[in-house]
Amino acid sequence: MELTKKTHACVRLEKDGRTLVIDPGVFSEEDAAVGADAILVTHEHMDHFNEDRLRAGMEANPAAEIWTLSSVADQLAGAFPGRVHTVGDGDTFTAAGFEVEVHGQLHAVIHPDIPRITNVGFLIDGGTVFHPGDALTVPEGRTVDTLLLPVHAPWNKVAEIIDYVREVAPRRAIDIHDSLLQDHARPVYDSMIQNLGGGAEHGRLTPGHRTTLG
């Protein structure tokens, strides 16, 4: 399986000639979902869900389908009848040849005065890679090889991110949710997560670059 990092929280996974895209949001490239056979969306916030990005992908491939939680599916189902599937915590399904498990229910707390929305994470191919969306969800009972790590957000701090890496205990962690992180701050985050993350290999990819998973 090949993973290509897109801007912010979006990634493309490719296997056996098929492509799965997760969270093409407003910070992602305009063509982030173009070429996808399947698209997963973790929640409704604009940096993870952008209707224009999704429409571009769905219109480019009339066989493409979307799997997401109800708050997003309700906004798209009318435009793409039969091609938008609602999922939630505990569900399993196959999308474009990828085996997917759904973990989690709620977005992380941004502030007590802001109501929490729903959020799901996607575990791909038995733990090859886990995308948690905007939450520090631990996929209970599963071993994660590559954790996509939401390294910088209004709802987190670096101590929480380090503890999350320790709790999930992946072989490696790759940064996502990073477009608001200034380049001069990255070495600080890199060294802290690498040195305190419990032995997990930590790295990041420049948008457009790729790595092999599994």
Side-chain angles (χ1 to χ4, degrees):
M1 188 188 304
E2 296 290 322
L3 179 147
T4 300
K5 173 75 165 63
K6 308 301 283 186
T7 301
H8 199 54
C10 182
V11 298
R12 293 173 67 98
L13 303 176
E14 297 174 70
K15 182 183 72 171
D16 299 330
R18 307 190 77 186
T19 300
L20 175 70
V21 173
I22 306 176
D23 280 3
V26 71
F27 297 149
S28 304
E29 294 76 4
E30 291 187 6
D31 64 350
V34 174
D37 299 290
I39 304 168
L40 310 182
V41 180
T42 63
H43 66 289
E44 65 196 83
H45 283 161
M46 66 173 186
D47 54 330
H48 297 255
F49 160 51
N50 177 264
E51 188 169 345
D52 289 342
R53 307 288 191 269
L54 291 173
R55 283 183 176 273
M58 296 291 275
E59 291 169 359
N61 179 4
E65 299 177 75
I66 295 172
W67 282 261
T68 186
L69 68 188
S70 60
S71 60
V72 173
D74 291 347
Q75 300 181 56
L76 298 171
F80 304 104
R83 298 169 64 190
V84 180
H85 311 283
T86 301
V87 296
D89 183 42
D91 288 340
T92 61
F93 58 92
T94 302
F98 295 83
E99 299 301 320
V100 185
E101 298 178 16
V102 184
H103 293 266
Q105 300 181 51
L106 290 172
H107 192 286
V109 174
I110 301 172
H111 187 276
D113 290 350
I114 300 176
R116 294 177 74 182
I117 62 169
T118 51
N119 176 95
V120 293
F122 296 109
L123 186 76
I124 312 297
D125 281 358
T128 299
V129 61
F130 181 58
H131 191 309
D134 274 7
L136 303 181
T137 301
V138 177
E140 298 294 342
R142 294 291 185 265
T143 299
V144 175
D145 184 73
T146 297
L147 173 66
L148 300 180
L149 185 65
V151 69
H152 183 264
W155 50 266
N156 71 24
K157 59 184 180 181
V158 70
E160 295 170 333
I161 295 303
I162 290 167
D163 287 345
Y164 181 52
V165 175
R166 290 179 176 181
E167 188 171 6
V168 176
R171 180 179 65 85
R172 67 173 173 175
I174 295 176
D175 289 350
I176 59 169
H177 213 288
D178 56 355
S179 65
L180 300 181
L181 185 62
Q182 295 292 316
D183 286 345
H184 64 260
R186 288 184 179 273
V188 178
Y189 279 71
D190 290 345
S191 64
M192 293 183 71
I193 295 169
Q194 181 65 59
N195 293 334
L196 300 173
E201 174 189 338
H202 173 253
R204 50 187 168 89
L205 296 171
T206 301
H209 288 208
R210 61 195 304 165
T211 187
T212 300
L213 302 180

